């Protein structure tokens, strides 16, 4: 059995805005783009045994993605996030909870050289344990800070940062982390202190 070079581990969900439905989730997006760039990447996620899960699998097949890491849950529904925009155009999300990706399992076949994972994919203890299991054996871990209230937690973030070799975050997340971790808010100083601390 060949070890996957990259496993992108976490949520696969439908973003729903009115009548429009888009398949998403940070790990799925990263896996898709890595594959387009010729990097062997496996999406490790979980869908429900339901219509949205079937549609998600069909879409992933159409995109030519590796489905070996996709687990199917007999009890929990496929992930969904209903999107709302405020007057300033800022998005908020209402997630189906629990969803199938909350019950992700760490399987030996999915253990990678490089693990890509996020904070949102750890909102449930089951998926959190699975990430820790795979991270322990990975040569590199890439953390996608993906703070989505009410699943934004300073203790979870601290534990995730301690696993990470590379951290990806946006400007808003820099501000939040600077507050939570008492880091300087200016990006160069923030990055230097984050690297020193972790």
């Amino acid at each position: 059995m060949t070890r996957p070079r990259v496993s992108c581990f976490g949520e696969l969900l439908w973003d729903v805005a009115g009548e429009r439905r888009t398949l998403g989730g940070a790990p799925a997006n990263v896996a898709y783009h890595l594959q387009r760039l010729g990097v062997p990447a496996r999406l490790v996620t979980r869908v429900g045994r339901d219509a949205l899960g079937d549609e998600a699998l069909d879409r992933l097949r159409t995109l030519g993605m590796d489905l070996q890491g996709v687990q199917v849950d007999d009890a929990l529904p496929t992930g969904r996030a209903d999107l709302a925009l405020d007057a300033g155009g800022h998005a908020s999300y209402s997630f189906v909870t629990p969803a199938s990706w909350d019950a992700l399992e760490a399987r030996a076949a999915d253990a990678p050289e490089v693990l890509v994972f996020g904070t949102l994919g750890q909102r449930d203890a089951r998926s959190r344990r699975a990430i820790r299991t795979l991270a322990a054996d990975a040569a590199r871990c890439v953390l996608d800070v993906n703070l989505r209230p009410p699943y934004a937690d300073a203790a979870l973030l601290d534990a995730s940062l301690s696993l990470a070799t590379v951290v990806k975050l946006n400007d808003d997340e820099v501000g939040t982390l600077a507050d939570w971790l008492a880091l300087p808010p200016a990006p160069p100083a923030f990055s230097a202190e984050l690297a020193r601390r972790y």
Side-chain angles (χ1 to χ4, degrees), residues 47-166:
V47 298
R49 197 172 297 281
D50 52 26
L52 287 178
D54 292 344
E55 188 176 346
L57 291 172
D58 288 344
R59 181 74 55 87
L60 294 173
R61 276 189 206 94
T62 299
L63 293 171
M65 293 187 65
D66 176 354
L67 299 183
Q68 293 178 75
V70 180
Q71 304 166 21
V72 179
D73 195 291
D74 290 323
L76 295 172
T78 298
R80 174 185 167 139
D82 293 305
L83 169 70
L85 297 176
D86 65 17
H90 297 97
S92 63
Y93 301 88
S94 174
F95 294 93
V96 168
T97 307
S100 50
W101 52 270
D102 289 315
L104 266 165
E105 299 171 359
R107 302 179 306 189
D110 300 320
E113 294 174 26
V114 178
L115 176 66
V116 178
F117 70 100
T119 51
L120 182 58
Q122 298 181 74
R123 69 181 187 173
D124 187 282
R126 293 168 287 186
S127 290
R128 210 166 30 249
R129 277 191 303 272
I131 285 171
R132 304 265 180 299
T133 298
L134 292 178
D137 195 38
R140 301 268 186 275
C141 292
V142 178
L143 170 62
D144 181 358
V145 176
N146 193 3
L147 303 178
R148 296 287 183 264
Y151 308 109
D153 178 89
L156 171 65
L157 181 67
D158 180 65
S160 298
L161 287 166
S162 69
L163 300 173
T165 311
V166 175

Side-chain angles (χ1 to χ4, degrees), residues 1-8 39-44 66 68-69 107-115 134 137-139:
M1 172 177 60
T2 304
R3 178 177 168 134
R5 182 167 173 200
V6 180
S7 285
C8 302
V39 177
R42 175 175 294 173
L43 173 61
V44 181
D66 176 354
Q68 293 178 75
R107 302 179 306 189
D110 300 320
E113 294 174 26
V114 178
L115 176 66
L134 292 178
D137 195 38

